[in-house]
């Protein structure tokens, strides 16, 4: 079973209060989303493999360690884009892909309408980003699309998670760990996380 990590860090919790506040404007909301994503990324990269290297300092040779895996960031369009810059602050050499999904009005199944990934994505540890893990349908499908393209190491990063989405990912993709800034207890009749923070995409891009 995949693990769920929910941050209790005071910096993240304080920033979550600002994200939840309906008075927080789009500019500040975007900035805080990036900051929370960066702090989550710090936690999510804790177990990345390391290799020993030798570095020459101005004084002498030093034995150091460096990350020993290629990295990629793949936001789910469109809201996942809001988390990208925060991750790049910690992983500036990571490649970036994008996955776009919409829900078929008849079958209600997620349908891929756009997918652009690094050519060697199957060799990389992929950080899949989406601010809201609500029902989990979109995230489940995106993970499936990545696996279909040969990706073996996937980590899910979200700002808010709800029980339905977490359960769905853990059952469908038990090898994918989930990192969240907060965990809310339920969804409303429209599939929104409660108390949540509203529509993350609309608040990031100022479209509502």
């Amino acid at each position: 079973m995949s693990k769920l990590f929910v941050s209790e860090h005071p910096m993240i919790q304080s920033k979550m209060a600002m994200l939840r506040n309906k008075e927080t404007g789009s500019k500040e909301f975007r900035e805080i989303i990036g900051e929370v994503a960066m702090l989550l990324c710090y936690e999510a990269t804790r177990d990345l493999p390391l290799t020993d290297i030798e570095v020459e300092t101005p004084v002498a040779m030093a034995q150091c360690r460096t990350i020993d895996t290629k990295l990629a960031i793949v936001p789910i369009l469109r809201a996942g884009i809001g988390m990208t810059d925060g991750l790049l602050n910690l992983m500036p050499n990571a490649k970036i892909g994008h996955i776009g999904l919409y829900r078929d009005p008849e079958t209600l199944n997620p349908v891929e309408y756009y997918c652009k990934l690094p050519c060697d994505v199957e060799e990389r540890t992929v950080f899949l980003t989406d601010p809201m893990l609500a029902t989990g349908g979109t995230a489940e499908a995106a993970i499936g699309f990545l696996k279909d393209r040969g990706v073996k190491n996937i980590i899910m990063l979200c700002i808010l998670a709800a029980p339905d989405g977490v359960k769905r990912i853990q059952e469908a993709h038990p090898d994918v760990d989930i990192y969240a800034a907060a965990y809310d207890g339920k969804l409303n009749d429209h599939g929104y996380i409660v108390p949540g923070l509203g529509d993350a995409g609309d608040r990031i891009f100022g479209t509502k």
Side-chain angles (χ1 to χ4, degrees):
M1 182 67 68
S2 64
K3 68 180 179 182
L4 169 66
F5 174 89
V6 181
S7 177
E8 297 294 335
H9 195 288
M11 290 297 295
I12 289 183
Q13 295 309 305
S14 181
K15 291 180 184 298
M16 284 303 302
M18 292 184 279
L19 288 178
R20 292 184 188 275
N21 189 339
K22 67 178 184 179
E23 302 301 327
T24 300
S26 290
K27 179 180 182 296
E28 188 178 8
F29 192 90
R30 281 194 301 272
E31 293 170 350
I32 299 169
I33 284 282
E35 292 167 357
V36 172
M38 181 176 65
L39 293 169
L40 273 180
C41 183
Y42 176 82
E43 298 290 354
T45 53
R46 185 179 298 275
D47 296 324
L48 290 181
L50 295 168
T51 188
D52 296 324
I53 63 170
E54 192 173 56
V55 173
E56 185 175 2
T57 79
V59 179
M61 300 304 295
Q63 299 299 317
C64 300
R65 307 183 80 191
T66 187
I67 292 173
D68 189 27
T69 183
K70 296 178 180 179
L71 305 173
I73 303 165
V74 179
I76 298 175
L77 301 178
R78 64 181 169 145
I81 294 174
M83 300 173 67
T84 303
D85 286 347
L87 272 63
L88 283 173
N89 286 335
L90 284 185
M91 306 185 298
N93 295 322
K95 300 294 185 183
I96 302 174
H98 296 89
I99 293 179
L101 302 169
Y102 72 90
R103 191 170 299 278
D104 186 286
E106 294 184 2
T107 67
L108 301 182
N109 293 324
V111 179
E112 178 187 301
Y113 69 85
Y114 183 81
C115 187
K116 184 72 171 180
L117 301 172
C119 60
D120 60 349
V121 69
E122 72 280 356
E123 301 174 11
R124 297 178 178 271
T125 296
V126 172
F127 293 85
L128 182 68
T129 66
D130 195 351
M132 313 297 279
L133 181 59
T135 64
T138 299
E140 178 188 358
I143 293 168
F145 293 146
L146 288 172
K147 288 183 174 181
D148 289 344
R149 290 164 171 84
V151 180
K152 298 177 179 63
N153 299 312
I154 303 169
I155 298 170
M156 177 84 198
L157 297 184
C158 56
I159 303 300
L160 270 182
D164 303 59
V166 170
K167 180 181 179 182
R168 188 163 183 168
I169 297 304
Q170 289 180 330
E171 290 179 348
H173 301 290
D175 56 329
V176 175
D177 291 336
I178 304 165
Y179 286 77
Y183 182 78
D184 285 358
K186 63 178 181 179
L187 303 179
N188 64 18
D189 293 339
H190 300 288
Y192 277 62
I193 299 175
V194 178
L197 49 76
D199 187 299
D202 283 340
R203 296 192 68 187
I204 288 169
F205 298 108
T207 50
K208 191 172 183 179

